[in-house]
Every structure is written in C-alpha cells, then in structure tokens.
Amino acid sequence: MSAISRISTNTPWEPIVGYSRLVRAGDIVAVSGTTATDDRGLIVGPGQMYVQARQALENIRTALERAGLSMHQVIRTRMFITDMTRFADVARAHKEFFADSPPASTVVEVRRLANPDMMIEIEADAYAGTANSQTATAKPQPTVKPKPKPVATPASKSTRKPPSKKPARRK
C-alpha cells in the first residue's frame, strides 16, 4: 500500500471539483463532505433533514467499508446544515450511527450547499491504526490543584517619614 490511497465514488461532483470521497494517509482517514445522494448521484429526501442526514451517514459508512474500516473508527465529524432549527433531526440520525462510539463533532449552520435541495453535508475523519479503535472511554483524571503562591502584602504605611540615608548637613 502506498503512503496515500484514494477512493472515489460515482457522484457527479467528484470529477467536476477534483476530489476523492476518501483519502487515507497512513493511519489517518479523511472522508470528504458527503451529502444525501444515492448510487446514481440523485439527492435523497428533499426537504427532509433526518432522511438526508441518514443518507449522508450511510454514504460515509459505505466509503469507510470500501477502505476496510467501520463507523467505530470515526474520531471526528463535521456537519454543515442549512437550518439549525432542524438540529434535532440531525442529532437523532448522528446518534443512531455513533451512540456506541461517539466521535468529536461539530455542527455549523451554512447559508446553502452546492445544490438547493441539499440540506446537510457531513465530513468524517477516522483512525485506521492497529490500536484498539473500538470504544475506549478515557478514565477521568483526578483534578490536582496547584499550591497557592504566597501573596505579598504591601507594607503598611506609616505616618512618619522614613529616615533619610543622606548624611545630615552641618552649618
């Protein structure tokens, strides 16, 4: 296997824009922004955020499987949606795919996507290393509070003038 491998699909956008659906560089895998298109490149579920989110995630799963990976190996998703008021639909679909191994995730509202019928686009990054890439929950570390530094208190001001260090003047 070369240091970098690429997987493309039949979507009409790849040859127009010049990108690959998935790129693997060593143990890191990046899945391009993926929308709700079917095998023919047609948009699935116009006007239905949940249906489009599920289709985009299915397309990501298919790309990962072609590279020999699974959704459990996804470490980050980025979701670009055209209507944040429909976030609950997006969250429900995302959780269905990642409830057992939640990745780091971001959701951002955008004004529009490449086609007016597209409501969501999702990117995913995955780890393809040999380490246990299944669910590994980090144990919380105890909080260690630093020792407080001594606080210098200002010297109290006296009403008397301090003695002068100059020698007294004689007349």
Side-chain angles (χ1 to χ4, degrees):
M1 175 186 263
S2 69
I4 298 176
S5 60
R6 293 172 172 82
I7 293 177
S8 293
T9 59
N10 297 342
T11 61
W13 304 104
E14 289 176 37
I16 292 169
V17 177
Y19 71 93
S20 298
R21 172 65 43 217
L22 179 146
V23 175
R24 180 175 180 165
D27 290 340
I28 302 301
V29 176
V31 181
S32 293
T34 304
T35 58
T37 54
D38 63 14
D39 293 337
R40 299 166 294 163
L42 301 175
I43 297 169
V44 173
Q48 302 174 60
M49 184 68 83
Y50 172 76
V51 171
Q52 287 200 11
R54 280 200 51 83
Q55 182 66 46
L57 290 162
E58 283 290 347
N59 293 347
I60 289 170
R61 181 190 340 234
T62 299
L64 289 168
E65 287 173 351
R66 286 184 62 194
L69 303 169
S70 73
M71 295 295 263
H72 288 287
Q73 291 168 281
V74 172
I75 58 171
R76 174 179 268 301
T77 58
R78 291 172 203 86
M79 296 174 279
F80 304 93
I81 63 176
T82 58
D83 184 358
M84 193 61 80
T85 65
R86 310 221 16 219
F87 172 76
D89 292 333
V90 173
R92 180 167 56 116
H94 192 271
K95 187 174 182 179
E96 287 173 8
F97 282 80
F98 296 111
D100 295 335
S101 55
S105 189
T106 302
V107 179
V108 177
E109 183 178 66
V110 296
R111 192 170 77 168
R112 65 180 171 211
L113 295 169
N115 181 302
D117 289 334
M118 293 176 177
M119 301 175 72
I120 185 166
E121 184 166 336
I122 304 174
E123 296 179 351
D125 298 326
Y127 176 70
T130 56
N132 181 7
S133 55
Q134 299 297 320
T135 303
T137 304
K139 294 181 181 174
Q141 297 297 316
T143 304
V144 178
K145 293 183 180 179
K147 292 182 181 178
K149 293 181 181 180
V151 178
T153 56
S156 63
K157 292 185 178 180
S158 149
T159 56
R160 288 190 306 157
K161 268 188 157 177
S164 174
K165 293 186 182 182
K166 292 182 186 176
R169 193 186 225 193
R170 293 187 184 215
K171 291 189 181 184

